[in-house]
Amino acid sequence: MATSYSSLFHSSLASTSLTHKHKHLHCNPKLAFPRRRYPAVVSCSASSDHHSSSSTAAAAAAATKFRRPSDENIREEARRHRSSANTTFSAKYVPFNAGPDSPEWYSLDEIVYRSRSGGLLDVQHDMEALKKFDGAYWRDLFDSRVGKTTWPYGSGVWSKKEWVLPEIDPDDIVSAFEGNSNLFWAERFGKEFLGMSDLWVKHCGISHTGSFKDLGMTVLVSQVNRLRKMKRPVVGVGCASTADSRGYSVGCASTGDTSAALSAYCASAGIPSIVFLPANKISIAQLVQPIANGAFVLSIDTDFDGCMKLIREVTAELPIYLANSLNSLRLEGQKTAAIEILQQFDWEVPDWVIVPGGNLGNIYAFYKGFKMCEELGLVDRIPRLVCAQAANANPLYLHYKSGWKDFKPVRANTTFASAIQIGDPVSIDRAVYALQNSNGIVEEATEEELMDAMAQADSTGMFICPHTGVALTALIKLRQSGVIGPMDRTVVVSTAHGLKFTQSKVDYHSKAILDMACRFANPPVEVKADFGAVMDTLKTYLGNKSF
Ligand SMILES: Cc1ncc(COP(=O)(O)O)c(C=O)c1O
Ligand SMILES: N[C@@H](CCOP(=O)(O)O)C(=O)O
């Protein structure tokens, strides 16, 4: 189960003081830059762009080598190349799923997490402005930015800046060049366990803080950085207090990954962060991340849903900016993982994308990323989405099985997939929308199923987290029932790095889990430091093995 850190760590946690000391611009893009050529913002994307006038290959090579003066950093270089074309596009908050006639909207520079009716918000882009450029233009633009260090496009998120936060000044962006995560061809796993040849794992967890949360957090913390520079006071929904812009911090409730990302990005920008963690319900690796990054860490004797309730109450009273995915800014970054998948397939659309779900922001983020690509002509359809939940924390699954009748939160039980131990997901409406509009499916995984799937995947060269085990279980079930075919191109989204969850692997491989057969356990063999003993052991092993 999720590591009980009380014995290992809680004593030091207790004894140590962890207190760390709209406008919407519309301009004619033809005036800004000619069609089919990169806009000025793009000209920052590749060093060769700056030197296209070089007449010889040698000059071009030299120019590439010295693309900026030695006393200039990449931010300054970006500033030198910047133009007003940055403001061609715009975005605003609108009530989630509001019709086109809804008059309610907010500037992204306002601090607002909920609509007037108390519903969720969404970031709505000026699609008409984006549509002035065709799909081929956007595909080429995004492709041109991959693998560069040009600020801020070296990031997989900010390489899609026009679709994310179009109006933010690159100077305000806080980025670890996140995204561009590898899409792993799961050749052996697909072939041996599922008879599939086109199975892929999108490793969003191979990232700065080890989870997909980095994709959203770079956007949220960048916007906070901008607001602080603008000296915008934080006035939360229902918040009585205002504060000097320099005086507020950013906070979240977390099952361990949001807190890690928040604290890292805040630390990088020098912004104070506060994290509410459910005591003894996250892994040690996750716990130590915000501690190391200097966040103010509250270990609270409740579960994630309890922490979420508390942070919502607290952010309504204190000048603390809410960093959970209730804040729709986060999803703008997370949606770029969907765009990346299409990009990695050369803009061919996979048949299925399977995403583990907890607070349920990410499944909507994927939907939104795919949908924008369809609407803007980069692709002609979207994949079918599957949301996978742990059976011990399965409110969405129950809702789906009831035919989307009344949604009822559940009390989430302990699960090895501790980051999705959530019973009352804030983004339930977003998830239902995403699934209904993508011909989607919800599946669940028991503890034994998810741990076996994780062990099987690891045995084929991956090192995944239990949440990815949940997603793989959904795939196994849908293959077995024939819903997913052997030739279907399928992407399983891996949401966190396996190294954050080593205790669950240790428990599994030492067969130390009550009522679990641990069928794929591979425990180490203890051998005396003696040549004969080692030889005997190896001969037995080699004799039993069919390679
Ligand atoms: C590792 C991991 N996987 C999956 C999820 C689920 O994402 P979401 O809450 O957006 O559904 C989370 C967080 O909730 C997570 O930390
Ligand atoms: N798994 C999450 C839970 C909170 O989700 P969020 O996307 O709403 O921040 C975590 O790591 O905390």
Side-chain angles (χ1 to χ4, degrees), residues 183 202 204 336-348 350 353 366 370 491-493:
L183 186 57
K202 174 69 173 164
C204 294
T336 61
I339 307 170
E340 250 177 53
I341 289 173
L342 297 175
Q343 196 168 15
Q344 285 165 313
F345 285 133
D346 254 332
W347 305 101
E348 280 179 15
V353 173
F366 270 91
F370 287 128
V491 180
V492 170
V493 176

mmCIF file with all atom_site columns, all heavy atoms in Angstrom, residues 183 202 204 336-348 350 353 366 370 491-493:
data_model
loop_
_atom_site.group_PDB
_atom_site.id
_atom_site.type_symbol
_atom_site.label_atom_id
_atom_site.label_alt_id
_atom_site.label_comp_id
_atom_site.label_asym_id
_atom_site.label_entity_id
_atom_site.label_seq_id
_atom_site.pdbx_PDB_ins_code
_atom_site.Cartn_x
_atom_site.Cartn_y
_atom_site.Cartn_z
_atom_site.occupancy
_atom_site.B_iso_or_equiv
_atom_site.pdbx_formal_charge
_atom_site.auth_seq_id
_atom_site.auth_comp_id
_atom_site.auth_asym_id
_atom_site.auth_atom_id
_atom_site.pdbx_PDB_model_num
ATOM 1   N N   . LEU A 1 183 ? 7.583  8.672  -26.414 1.00 0.00 ? 183 LEU A N   1
ATOM 2   C CA  . LEU A 1 183 ? 6.470  7.767  -26.711 1.00 0.00 ? 183 LEU A CA  1
ATOM 3   C C   . LEU A 1 183 ? 7.129  6.419  -26.963 1.00 0.00 ? 183 LEU A C   1
ATOM 4   O O   . LEU A 1 183 ? 7.791  6.224  -27.976 1.00 0.00 ? 183 LEU A O   1
ATOM 5   C CB  . LEU A 1 183 ? 5.725  8.283  -27.941 1.00 0.00 ? 183 LEU A CB  1
ATOM 6   C CG  . LEU A 1 183 ? 4.436  7.574  -28.355 1.00 0.00 ? 183 LEU A CG  1
ATOM 7   C CD1 . LEU A 1 183 ? 3.416  7.569  -27.242 1.00 0.00 ? 183 LEU A CD1 1
ATOM 8   C CD2 . LEU A 1 183 ? 3.837  8.274  -29.580 1.00 0.00 ? 183 LEU A CD2 1
ATOM 9   N N   . LYS A 1 202 ? 2.988  6.594  -23.504 1.00 0.00 ? 202 LYS A N   1
ATOM 10  C CA  . LYS A 1 202 ? 3.432  7.991  -23.480 1.00 0.00 ? 202 LYS A CA  1
ATOM 11  C C   . LYS A 1 202 ? 3.954  8.274  -22.071 1.00 0.00 ? 202 LYS A C   1
ATOM 12  O O   . LYS A 1 202 ? 3.173  8.366  -21.102 1.00 0.00 ? 202 LYS A O   1
ATOM 13  C CB  . LYS A 1 202 ? 2.258  8.912  -23.830 1.00 0.00 ? 202 LYS A CB  1
ATOM 14  C CG  . LYS A 1 202 ? 2.554  10.398 -23.710 1.00 0.00 ? 202 LYS A CG  1
ATOM 15  C CD  . LYS A 1 202 ? 3.517  10.900 -24.759 1.00 0.00 ? 202 LYS A CD  1
ATOM 16  C CE  . LYS A 1 202 ? 3.653  12.426 -24.709 1.00 0.00 ? 202 LYS A CE  1
ATOM 17  N NZ  . LYS A 1 202 ? 4.835  12.891 -25.453 1.00 0.00 ? 202 LYS A NZ  1
ATOM 18  N N   . CYS A 1 204 ? 4.699  10.401 -19.729 1.00 0.00 ? 204 CYS A N   1
ATOM 19  C CA  . CYS A 1 204 ? 4.599  11.765 -19.184 1.00 0.00 ? 204 CYS A CA  1
ATOM 20  C C   . CYS A 1 204 ? 5.312  11.886 -17.830 1.00 0.00 ? 204 CYS A C   1
ATOM 21  O O   . CYS A 1 204 ? 5.580  13.002 -17.373 1.00 0.00 ? 204 CYS A O   1
ATOM 22  C CB  . CYS A 1 204 ? 3.127  12.157 -19.014 1.00 0.00 ? 204 CYS A CB  1
ATOM 23  S SG  . CYS A 1 204 ? 2.246  12.307 -20.561 1.00 0.00 ? 204 CYS A SG  1
ATOM 24  N N   . THR A 1 336 ? -1.263 19.715 -23.838 1.00 0.00 ? 336 THR A N   1
ATOM 25  C CA  . THR A 1 336 ? -0.215 19.627 -24.869 1.00 0.00 ? 336 THR A CA  1
ATOM 26  C C   . THR A 1 336 ? 0.314  18.207 -25.016 1.00 0.00 ? 336 THR A C   1
ATOM 27  O O   . THR A 1 336 ? 0.899  17.874 -26.046 1.00 0.00 ? 336 THR A O   1
ATOM 28  C CB  . THR A 1 336 ? 0.958  20.597 -24.590 1.00 0.00 ? 336 THR A CB  1
ATOM 29  O OG1 . THR A 1 336 ? 1.558  20.251 -23.337 1.00 0.00 ? 336 THR A OG1 1
ATOM 30  C CG2 . THR A 1 336 ? 0.495  22.037 -24.565 1.00 0.00 ? 336 THR A CG2 1
ATOM 31  N N   . ALA A 1 337 ? 0.097  17.358 -23.993 1.00 0.00 ? 337 ALA A N   1
ATOM 32  C CA  . ALA A 1 337 ? 0.543  15.953 -24.131 1.00 0.00 ? 337 ALA A CA  1
ATOM 33  C C   . ALA A 1 337 ? -0.226 15.274 -25.264 1.00 0.00 ? 337 ALA A C   1
ATOM 34  O O   . ALA A 1 337 ? 0.320  14.428 -25.988 1.00 0.00 ? 337 ALA A O   1
ATOM 35  C CB  . ALA A 1 337 ? 0.347  15.204 -22.817 1.00 0.00 ? 337 ALA A CB  1
ATOM 36  N N   . ALA A 1 338 ? -1.494 15.642 -25.425 1.00 0.00 ? 338 ALA A N   1
ATOM 37  C CA  . ALA A 1 338 ? -2.295 15.064 -26.515 1.00 0.00 ? 338 ALA A CA  1
ATOM 38  C C   . ALA A 1 338 ? -1.754 15.530 -27.863 1.00 0.00 ? 338 ALA A C   1
ATOM 39  O O   . ALA A 1 338 ? -1.615 14.728 -28.803 1.00 0.00 ? 338 ALA A O   1
ATOM 40  C CB  . ALA A 1 338 ? -3.751 15.487 -26.356 1.00 0.00 ? 338 ALA A CB  1
ATOM 41  N N   . ILE A 1 339 ? -1.419 16.818 -27.937 1.00 0.00 ? 339 ILE A N   1
ATOM 42  C CA  . ILE A 1 339 ? -0.902 17.357 -29.203 1.00 0.00 ? 339 ILE A CA  1
ATOM 43  C C   . ILE A 1 339 ? 0.429  16.673 -29.538 1.00 0.00 ? 339 ILE A C   1
ATOM 44  O O   . ILE A 1 339 ? 0.693  16.315 -30.684 1.00 0.00 ? 339 ILE A O   1
ATOM 45  C CB  . ILE A 1 339 ? -0.748 18.887 -29.104 1.00 0.00 ? 339 ILE A CB  1
ATOM 46  C CG1 . ILE A 1 339 ? -2.059 19.539 -28.638 1.00 0.00 ? 339 ILE A CG1 1
ATOM 47  C CG2 . ILE A 1 339 ? -0.292 19.468 -30.442 1.00 0.00 ? 339 ILE A CG2 1
ATOM 48  C CD1 . ILE A 1 339 ? -1.956 21.011 -28.267 1.00 0.00 ? 339 ILE A CD1 1
ATOM 49  N N   . GLU A 1 340 ? 1.221  16.478 -28.481 1.00 0.00 ? 340 GLU A N   1
ATOM 50  C CA  . GLU A 1 340 ? 2.517  15.815 -28.676 1.00 0.00 ? 340 GLU A CA  1
ATOM 51  C C   . GLU A 1 340 ? 2.361  14.407 -29.236 1.00 0.00 ? 340 GLU A C   1
ATOM 52  O O   . GLU A 1 340 ? 3.140  13.974 -30.084 1.00 0.00 ? 340 GLU A O   1
ATOM 53  C CB  . GLU A 1 340 ? 3.217  15.722 -27.320 1.00 0.00 ? 340 GLU A CB  1
ATOM 54  C CG  . GLU A 1 340 ? 4.421  16.608 -27.187 1.00 0.00 ? 340 GLU A CG  1
ATOM 55  C CD  . GLU A 1 340 ? 4.999  16.510 -25.793 1.00 0.00 ? 340 GLU A CD  1
ATOM 56  O OE1 . GLU A 1 340 ? 5.282  15.396 -25.294 1.00 0.00 ? 340 GLU A OE1 1
ATOM 57  O OE2 . GLU A 1 340 ? 5.140  17.569 -25.185 1.00 0.00 ? 340 GLU A OE2 1
ATOM 58  N N   . ILE A 1 341 ? 1.363  13.683 -28.735 1.00 0.00 ? 341 ILE A N   1
ATOM 59  C CA  . ILE A 1 341 ? 1.147  12.310 -29.221 1.00 0.00 ? 341 ILE A CA  1
ATOM 60  C C   . ILE A 1 341 ? 0.887  12.348 -30.724 1.00 0.00 ? 341 ILE A C   1
ATOM 61  O O   . ILE A 1 341 ? 1.477  11.582 -31.498 1.00 0.00 ? 341 ILE A O   1
ATOM 62  C CB  . ILE A 1 341 ? -0.021 11.645 -28.461 1.00 0.00 ? 341 ILE A CB  1
ATOM 63  C CG1 . ILE A 1 341 ? 0.400  11.342 -27.025 1.00 0.00 ? 341 ILE A CG1 1
ATOM 64  C CG2 . ILE A 1 341 ? -0.480 10.367 -29.165 1.00 0.00 ? 341 ILE A CG2 1
ATOM 65  C CD1 . ILE A 1 341 ? -0.740 10.828 -26.131 1.00 0.00 ? 341 ILE A CD1 1
ATOM 66  N N   . LEU A 1 342 ? 0.024  13.253 -31.152 1.00 0.00 ? 342 LEU A N   1
ATOM 67  C CA  . LEU A 1 342 ? -0.282 13.356 -32.586 1.00 0.00 ? 342 LEU A CA  1
ATOM 68  C C   . LEU A 1 342 ? 0.985  13.697 -33.368 1.00 0.00 ? 342 LEU A C   1
ATOM 69  O O   . LEU A 1 342 ? 1.279  13.117 -34.417 1.00 0.00 ? 342 LEU A O   1
ATOM 70  C CB  . LEU A 1 342 ? -1.353 14.419 -32.821 1.00 0.00 ? 342 LEU A CB  1
ATOM 71  C CG  . LEU A 1 342 ? -2.713 14.133 -32.175 1.00 0.00 ? 342 LEU A CG  1
ATOM 72  C CD1 . LEU A 1 342 ? -3.656 15.309 -32.374 1.00 0.00 ? 342 LEU A CD1 1
ATOM 73  C CD2 . LEU A 1 342 ? -3.331 12.859 -32.768 1.00 0.00 ? 342 LEU A CD2 1
ATOM 74  N N   . GLN A 1 343 ? 1.734  14.622 -32.806 1.00 0.00 ? 343 GLN A N   1
ATOM 75  C CA  . GLN A 1 343 ? 2.975  15.062 -33.437 1.00 0.00 ? 343 GLN A CA  1
ATOM 76  C C   . GLN A 1 343 ? 3.949  13.880 -33.577 1.00 0.00 ? 343 GLN A C   1
ATOM 77  O O   . GLN A 1 343 ? 4.572  13.690 -34.619 1.00 0.00 ? 343 GLN A O   1
ATOM 78  C CB  . GLN A 1 343 ? 3.564  16.132 -32.520 1.00 0.00 ? 343 GLN A CB  1
ATOM 79  C CG  . GLN A 1 343 ? 4.618  16.997 -33.093 1.00 0.00 ? 343 GLN A CG  1
ATOM 80  C CD  . GLN A 1 343 ? 4.893  18.190 -32.170 1.00 0.00 ? 343 GLN A CD  1
ATOM 81  O OE1 . GLN A 1 343 ? 4.498  18.226 -31.000 1.00 0.00 ? 343 GLN A OE1 1
ATOM 82  N NE2 . GLN A 1 343 ? 5.580  19.180 -32.697 1.00 0.00 ? 343 GLN A NE2 1
ATOM 83  N N   . GLN A 1 344 ? 4.029  13.075 -32.508 1.00 0.00 ? 344 GLN A N   1
ATOM 84  C CA  . GLN A 1 344 ? 4.966  11.956 -32.526 1.00 0.00 ? 344 GLN A CA  1
ATOM 85  C C   . GLN A 1 344 ? 4.550  10.872 -33.517 1.00 0.00 ? 344 GLN A C   1
ATOM 86  O O   . GLN A 1 344 ? 5.370  10.089 -33.964 1.00 0.00 ? 344 GLN A O   1
ATOM 87  C CB  . GLN A 1 344 ? 5.118  11.389 -31.102 1.00 0.00 ? 344 GLN A CB  1
ATOM 88  C CG  . GLN A 1 344 ? 5.974  12.323 -30.228 1.00 0.00 ? 344 GLN A CG  1
ATOM 89  C CD  . GLN A 1 344 ? 5.865  12.012 -28.747 1.00 0.00 ? 344 GLN A CD  1
ATOM 90  O OE1 . GLN A 1 344 ? 4.770  11.829 -28.212 1.00 0.00 ? 344 GLN A OE1 1
ATOM 91  N NE2 . GLN A 1 344 ? 6.991  11.966 -28.054 1.00 0.00 ? 344 GLN A NE2 1
ATOM 92  N N   . PHE A 1 345 ? 3.269  10.839 -33.851 1.00 0.00 ? 345 PHE A N   1
ATOM 93  C CA  . PHE A 1 345 ? 2.791  9.910  -34.884 1.00 0.00 ? 345 PHE A CA  1
ATOM 94  C C   . PHE A 1 345 ? 2.714  10.607 -36.253 1.00 0.00 ? 345 PHE A C   1
ATOM 95  O O   . PHE A 1 345 ? 1.955  10.182 -37.122 1.00 0.00 ? 345 PHE A O   1
ATOM 96  C CB  . PHE A 1 345 ? 1.400  9.372  -34.531 1.00 0.00 ? 345 PHE A CB  1
ATOM 97  C CG  . PHE A 1 345 ? 1.395  8.341  -33.438 1.00 0.00 ? 345 PHE A CG  1
ATOM 98  C CD1 . PHE A 1 345 ? 0.483  8.423  -32.388 1.00 0.00 ? 345 PHE A CD1 1
ATOM 99  C CD2 . PHE A 1 345 ? 2.264  7.261  -33.457 1.00 0.00 ? 345 PHE A CD2 1
ATOM 100 C CE1 . PHE A 1 345 ? 0.450  7.473  -31.384 1.00 0.00 ? 345 PHE A CE1 1
ATOM 101 C CE2 . PHE A 1 345 ? 2.247  6.301  -32.452 1.00 0.00 ? 345 PHE A CE2 1
ATOM 102 C CZ  . PHE A 1 345 ? 1.342  6.411  -31.413 1.00 0.00 ? 345 PHE A CZ  1
ATOM 103 N N   . ASP A 1 346 ? 3.453  11.674 -36.404 1.00 0.00 ? 346 ASP A N   1
ATOM 104 C CA  . ASP A 1 346 ? 3.410  12.413 -37.668 1.00 0.00 ? 346 ASP A CA  1
ATOM 105 C C   . ASP A 1 346 ? 2.003  12.856 -38.024 1.00 0.00 ? 346 ASP A C   1
ATOM 106 O O   . ASP A 1 346 ? 1.586  12.815 -39.179 1.00 0.00 ? 346 ASP A O   1
ATOM 107 C CB  . ASP A 1 346 ? 3.975  11.569 -38.809 1.00 0.00 ? 346 ASP A CB  1
ATOM 108 C CG  . ASP A 1 346 ? 5.334  12.064 -39.216 1.00 0.00 ? 346 ASP A CG  1
ATOM 109 O OD1 . ASP A 1 346 ? 5.583  13.264 -39.043 1.00 0.00 ? 346 ASP A OD1 1
ATOM 110 O OD2 . ASP A 1 346 ? 6.135  11.243 -39.696 1.00 0.00 ? 346 ASP A OD2 1
ATOM 111 N N   . TRP A 1 347 ? 1.267  13.224 -37.019 1.00 0.00 ? 347 TRP A N   1
ATOM 112 C CA  . TRP A 1 347 ? -0.083 13.767 -37.150 1.00 0.00 ? 347 TRP A CA  1
ATOM 113 C C   . TRP A 1 347 ? -1.087 12.728 -37.645 1.00 0.00 ? 347 TRP A C   1
ATOM 114 O O   . TRP A 1 347 ? -2.096 13.062 -38.248 1.00 0.00 ? 347 TRP A O   1
ATOM 115 C CB  . TRP A 1 347 ? -0.096 15.054 -37.991 1.00 0.00 ? 347 TRP A CB  1
ATOM 116 C CG  . TRP A 1 347 ? 0.853  16.060 -37.414 1.00 0.00 ? 347 TRP A CG  1
ATOM 117 C CD1 . TRP A 1 347 ? 2.119  16.351 -37.852 1.00 0.00 ? 347 TRP A CD1 1
ATOM 118 C CD2 . TRP A 1 347 ? 0.663  16.867 -36.239 1.00 0.00 ? 347 TRP A CD2 1
ATOM 119 N NE1 . TRP A 1 347 ? 2.712  17.281 -37.033 1.00 0.00 ? 347 TRP A NE1 1
ATOM 120 C CE2 . TRP A 1 347 ? 1.838  17.619 -36.038 1.00 0.00 ? 347 TRP A CE2 1
ATOM 121 C CE3 . TRP A 1 347 ? -0.401 17.013 -35.321 1.00 0.00 ? 347 TRP A CE3 1
ATOM 122 C CZ2 . TRP A 1 347 ? 2.001  18.512 -34.979 1.00 0.00 ? 347 TRP A CZ2 1
ATOM 123 C CZ3 . TRP A 1 347 ? -0.244 17.908 -34.273 1.00 0.00 ? 347 TRP A CZ3 1
ATOM 124 C CH2 . TRP A 1 347 ? 0.938  18.640 -34.113 1.00 0.00 ? 347 TRP A CH2 1
ATOM 125 N N   . GLU A 1 348 ? -0.780 11.450 -37.349 1.00 0.00 ? 348 GLU A N   1
ATOM 126 C CA  . GLU A 1 348 ? -1.787 10.400 -37.565 1.00 0.00 ? 348 GLU A CA  1
ATOM 127 C C   . GLU A 1 348 ? -2.462 10.147 -36.226 1.00 0.00 ? 348 GLU A C   1
ATOM 128 O O   . GLU A 1 348 ? -1.807 10.128 -35.178 1.00 0.00 ? 348 GLU A O   1
ATOM 129 C CB  . GLU A 1 348 ? -1.126 9.114  -38.059 1.00 0.00 ? 348 GLU A CB  1
ATOM 130 C CG  . GLU A 1 348 ? -0.811 9.155  -39.535 1.00 0.00 ? 348 GLU A CG  1
ATOM 131 C CD  . GLU A 1 348 ? -0.139 7.880  -40.010 1.00 0.00 ? 348 GLU A CD  1
ATOM 132 O OE1 . GLU A 1 348 ? -0.170 6.867  -39.285 1.00 0.00 ? 348 GLU A OE1 1
ATOM 133 O OE2 . GLU A 1 348 ? 0.426  7.929  -41.111 1.00 0.00 ? 348 GLU A OE2 1
ATOM 134 N N   . PRO A 1 350 ? -4.138 8.122  -33.255 1.00 0.00 ? 350 PRO A N   1
ATOM 135 C CA  . PRO A 1 350 ? -4.267 6.758  -32.730 1.00 0.00 ? 350 PRO A CA  1
ATOM 136 C C   . PRO A 1 350 ? -5.741 6.402  -32.532 1.00 0.00 ? 350 PRO A C   1
ATOM 137 O O   . PRO A 1 350 ? -6.601 7.286  -32.517 1.00 0.00 ? 350 PRO A O   1
ATOM 138 C CB  . PRO A 1 350 ? -3.539 6.819  -31.386 1.00 0.00 ? 350 PRO A CB  1
ATOM 139 C CG  . PRO A 1 350 ? -3.558 8.256  -30.995 1.00 0.00 ? 350 PRO A CG  1
ATOM 140 C CD  . PRO A 1 350 ? -3.601 9.064  -32.264 1.00 0.00 ? 350 PRO A CD  1
ATOM 141 N N   . VAL A 1 353 ? -6.709 6.156  -26.622 1.00 0.00 ? 353 VAL A N   1
ATOM 142 C CA  . VAL A 1 353 ? -5.776 6.719  -25.636 1.00 0.00 ? 353 VAL A CA  1
ATOM 143 C C   . VAL A 1 353 ? -6.353 6.419  -24.252 1.00 0.00 ? 353 VAL A C   1
ATOM 144 O O   . VAL A 1 353 ? -7.524 6.723  -23.977 1.00 0.00 ? 353 VAL A O   1
ATOM 145 C CB  . VAL A 1 353 ? -5.567 8.243  -25.833 1.00 0.00 ? 353 VAL A CB  1
ATOM 146 C CG1 . VAL A 1 353 ? -4.728 8.822  -24.705 1.00 0.00 ? 353 VAL A CG1 1
ATOM 147 C CG2 . VAL A 1 353 ? -4.887 8.514  -27.176 1.00 0.00 ? 353 VAL A CG2 1
ATOM 148 N N   . PHE A 1 366 ? -6.688 15.904 -22.089 1.00 0.00 ? 366 PHE A N   1
ATOM 149 C CA  . PHE A 1 366 ? -6.398 15.138 -23.313 1.00 0.00 ? 366 PHE A CA  1
ATOM 150 C C   . PHE A 1 366 ? -7.469 15.380 -24.366 1.00 0.00 ? 366 PHE A C   1
ATOM 151 O O   . PHE A 1 366 ? -7.175 15.588 -25.538 1.00 0.00 ? 366 PHE A O   1
ATOM 152 C CB  . PHE A 1 366 ? -6.269 13.637 -22.998 1.00 0.00 ? 366 PHE A CB  1
ATOM 153 C CG  . PHE A 1 366 ? -4.850 13.266 -22.660 1.00 0.00 ? 366 PHE A CG  1
ATOM 154 C CD1 . PHE A 1 366 ? -4.407 13.295 -21.347 1.00 0.00 ? 366 PHE A CD1 1
ATOM 155 C CD2 . PHE A 1 366 ? -3.953 12.921 -23.653 1.00 0.00 ? 366 PHE A CD2 1
ATOM 156 C CE1 . PHE A 1 366 ? -3.090 12.989 -21.028 1.00 0.00 ? 366 PHE A CE1 1
ATOM 157 C CE2 . PHE A 1 366 ? -2.633 12.611 -23.356 1.00 0.00 ? 366 PHE A CE2 1
ATOM 158 C CZ  . PHE A 1 366 ? -2.205 12.640 -22.036 1.00 0.00 ? 366 PHE A CZ  1
ATOM 159 N N   . PHE A 1 370 ? -6.799 17.062 -28.124 1.00 0.00 ? 370 PHE A N   1
ATOM 160 C CA  . PHE A 1 370 ? -7.159 16.383 -29.381 1.00 0.00 ? 370 PHE A CA  1
ATOM 161 C C   . PHE A 1 370 ? -8.209 17.203 -30.154 1.00 0.00 ? 370 PHE A C   1
ATOM 162 O O   . PHE A 1 370 ? -8.149 17.351 -31.367 1.00 0.00 ? 370 PHE A O   1
ATOM 163 C CB  . PHE A 1 370 ? -7.705 14.983 -29.097 1.00 0.00 ? 370 PHE A CB  1
ATOM 164 C CG  . PHE A 1 370 ? -6.631 14.003 -28.665 1.00 0.00 ? 370 PHE A CG  1
ATOM 165 C CD1 . PHE A 1 370 ? -6.771 13.255 -27.499 1.00 0.00 ? 370 PHE A CD1 1
ATOM 166 C CD2 . PHE A 1 370 ? -5.492 13.812 -29.438 1.00 0.00 ? 370 PHE A CD2 1
ATOM 167 C CE1 . PHE A 1 370 ? -5.785 12.354 -27.103 1.00 0.00 ? 370 PHE A CE1 1
ATOM 168 C CE2 . PHE A 1 370 ? -4.497 12.912 -29.057 1.00 0.00 ? 370 PHE A CE2 1
ATOM 169 C CZ  . PHE A 1 370 ? -4.647 12.186 -27.882 1.00 0.00 ? 370 PHE A CZ  1
ATOM 170 N N   . VAL A 1 491 ? -2.504 4.096  -27.277 1.00 0.00 ? 491 VAL A N   1
ATOM 171 C CA  . VAL A 1 491 ? -1.527 4.794  -26.430 1.00 0.00 ? 491 VAL A CA  1
ATOM 172 C C   . VAL A 1 491 ? -1.996 4.708  -24.978 1.00 0.00 ? 491 VAL A C   1
ATOM 173 O O   . VAL A 1 491 ? -3.123 5.100  -24.659 1.00 0.00 ? 491 VAL A O   1
ATOM 174 C CB  . VAL A 1 491 ? -1.391 6.283  -26.821 1.00 0.00 ? 491 VAL A CB  1
ATOM 175 C CG1 . VAL A 1 491 ? -0.376 6.984  -25.918 1.00 0.00 ? 491 VAL A CG1 1
ATOM 176 C CG2 . VAL A 1 491 ? -0.992 6.425  -28.286 1.00 0.00 ? 491 VAL A CG2 1
ATOM 177 N N   . VAL A 1 492 ? -1.122 4.196  -24.125 1.00 0.00 ? 492 VAL A N   1
ATOM 178 C CA  . VAL A 1 492 ? -1.391 4.212  -22.687 1.00 0.00 ? 492 VAL A CA  1
ATOM 179 C C   . VAL A 1 492 ? -0.590 5.366  -22.098 1.00 0.00 ? 492 VAL A C   1
ATOM 180 O O   . VAL A 1 492 ? 0.618  5.478  -22.349 1.00 0.00 ? 492 VAL A O   1
ATOM 181 C CB  . VAL A 1 492 ? -0.966 2.866  -22.046 1.00 0.00 ? 492 VAL A CB  1
ATOM 182 C CG1 . VAL A 1 492 ? -1.002 2.947  -20.529 1.00 0.00 ? 492 VAL A CG1 1
ATOM 183 C CG2 . VAL A 1 492 ? -1.867 1.748  -22.551 1.00 0.00 ? 492 VAL A CG2 1
ATOM 184 N N   . VAL A 1 493 ? -1.265 6.217  -21.363 1.00 0.00 ? 493 VAL A N   1
ATOM 185 C CA  . VAL A 1 493 ? -0.570 7.369  -20.773 1.00 0.00 ? 493 VAL A CA  1
ATOM 186 C C   . VAL A 1 493 ? 0.012  6.963  -19.420 1.00 0.00 ? 493 VAL A C   1
ATOM 187 O O   . VAL A 1 493 ? -0.722 6.561  -18.507 1.00 0.00 ? 493 VAL A O   1
ATOM 188 C CB  . VAL A 1 493 ? -1.515 8.577  -20.634 1.00 0.00 ? 493 VAL A CB  1
ATOM 189 C CG1 . VAL A 1 493 ? -0.801 9.732  -19.941 1.00 0.00 ? 493 VAL A CG1 1
ATOM 190 C CG2 . VAL A 1 493 ? -2.022 9.012  -22.011 1.00 0.00 ? 493 VAL A CG2 1
#
